């Protein structure tokens, strides 16, 4: 894979295969956790399951372990139990005609939990990352189908019960493709140009302007916190809590003598789409 192909790729699988042997297990675990984190917005019934298994705190711990490059295998039993419960709920919902929409949400939840199980159970990080990305994409396809059926029902174009299989397959596939493209953007943020070219920071200018490292530390910390879920009209989106510190970090880099020609500075021109493990923040902090 060339760098140009990497930058335009919309399927994470060949990208992850390309990374084999080139990058740290920490980054691949952070990728897998980020794929799952994108799916943590559920209808009420599923939120209740999450609470009853304390899954938000489990997920938080999985992310913290991933950041240390660890597998968090101590969560395997509780994630497995929750996965079985979600699978049962999905088949119960599928057997009730009026509840078929909800079965897709439960399927999405079960696929997400299966992904979490891979994170806590698999030692082969590249294979784990590929599987989690596939499961997360498939989960998104199910969520999109449920939303689409709700929309059609609301607009009077369907009753949410009689589902045309061809339509359902197409909607799911479109949802999966969108999610895969989003996962590629996560890989771009985690690795930047590093799989192709070594990047370094200038230790003299960073030492001269200690603000750069301070701002990078604040950004790193905030990128590890859950996103703020913001509702704007009908749309619900994630807002990264590190937007302001990343803006400050960019300015501090500029004050330290970095120019817009520098890739590290240019990476922060865009204030959205950064996650814990962002290559430019990691580079400043000396993390791999
Ligand atoms: Zn970034």
């Amino acid at each position: 894979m060339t760098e140009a192909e990497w930058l335009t790729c919309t399927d994470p699988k060949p990208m992850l295969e390309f990374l084999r042997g080139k990058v740290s297990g920490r980054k691949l675990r952070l990728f897998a956790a980020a794929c799952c984190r994108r799916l943590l917005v559920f209808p009420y019934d599923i939120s209740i399951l999450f609470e009853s298994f304390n899954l938000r705190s489990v997920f938080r711990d999985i992310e913290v372990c991933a950041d240390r490059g660890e597998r968090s295998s101590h969560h395997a039993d509780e994630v497995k139990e929750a996965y079985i419960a979600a699978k049962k709920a999905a088949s119960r919902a599928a057997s009730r005609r009026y509840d078929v929409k909800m079965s897709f949400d439960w399927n999405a939840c079960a696929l997400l939990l299966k992904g979490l199980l891979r994170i806590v159970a698999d030692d082969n990080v590249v294979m784990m990352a590929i599987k989690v990305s596939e499961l997360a994409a498939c989960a998104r396809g199910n969520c999109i189908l449920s939303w689409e059926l709700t929309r059609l029902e609301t607009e009077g174009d369907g009753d949410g019960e009689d589902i045309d299989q061809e339509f359902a397959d197409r909607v799911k596939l479109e949802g999966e493709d969108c999610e895969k493209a989003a996962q590629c953007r996560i890989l771009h943020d985690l690795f930047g140009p590093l799989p192709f070219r070594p990047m370094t920071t200038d230790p003299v200018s960073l030492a001269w302007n200690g603000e750069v490292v301070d701002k990078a530390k604040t950004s790193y910390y905030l990128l590890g916190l859950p996103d703020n879920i913001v509702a704007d009209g009908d749309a619900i989106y994630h807002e990264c809590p590190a937007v302001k510190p990343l803006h400050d970090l960019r300015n501090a880099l500029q004050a330290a003598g970095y120019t817009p020609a520098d890739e590290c500075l240019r990476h922060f021109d865009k204030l959205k789409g950064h996650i814990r493990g962002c290559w430019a923040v990691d580079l400043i902090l000396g993390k791999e």
Side-chain angles (χ1 to χ4, degrees), residues 188-190 223 246 267-268 270 273-275 277-281:
H188 290 150
D189 187 54
L190 285 171
L223 286 171
L246 287 169
H267 181 68
F268 299 118
K270 217 171 69 180
H274 302 273
I275 62 161
C278 161
W279 74 270
V281 173

Side-chain angles (χ1 to χ4, degrees), residues 49-66:
L49 174 96
F50 260 65
E51 274 164 35
S52 66
F53 283 91
N54 202 18
L55 286 174
R56 286 191 192 275
S57 119
V58 168
F59 181 72
R60 183 86 198 98
D61 194 44
I62 288 173
E63 282 187 314
V64 170
C65 287

Side-chain angles (χ1 to χ4, degrees), residues 105-227:
D105 288 311
W106 277 115
N107 268 335
C109 175
L111 288 161
L112 164 67
L113 291 167
K114 202 171 178 183
L116 287 184
L117 254 184
R118 299 295 300 234
I119 296 179
V120 300
D122 279 15
D123 274 328
N124 181 332
V125 275
V126 171
M127 194 46 76
M128 178 278 290
I130 290 172
K131 281 292 162 204
V132 172
S133 92
E134 286 172 356
L135 289 162
C138 199
R140 176 68 75 200
N142 276 271
C143 291
I144 299 283
L145 178 56
S146 172
W147 292 340
E148 188 64 10
L149 292 171
T150 306
R151 185 186 66 77
L152 289 174
E153 200 179 335
T154 312
E155 291 174 4
D157 287 338
D159 59 10
E161 292 172 7
D162 294 315
I163 297 167
D164 177 62
Q165 196 56 45
E166 205 178 307
F167 165 80
D169 291 345
R170 180 172 52 78
V171 170
K172 269 193 200 176
L173 199 63
E174 283 170 7
E176 283 176 32
D177 286 345
C178 279
E179 193 60 19
K180 283 182 184 172
Q183 292 171 353
C184 292
R185 291 194 291 277
I186 294 177
L187 289 172
H188 290 150
D189 187 54
L190 285 171
F191 297 103
L194 293 172
F196 303 92
R197 289 171 286 127
M199 299 291 295
T200 51
T201 49
D202 174 5
V204 177
S205 55
L206 291 192
W208 174 79
N209 187 350
E211 270 208 12
V212 175
V213 174
D214 284 348
K215 303 289 183 202
K217 280 182 183 163
T218 309
S219 302
Y220 166 79
Y221 169 72
L222 290 171
L223 286 171
L225 295 184
D227 297 352

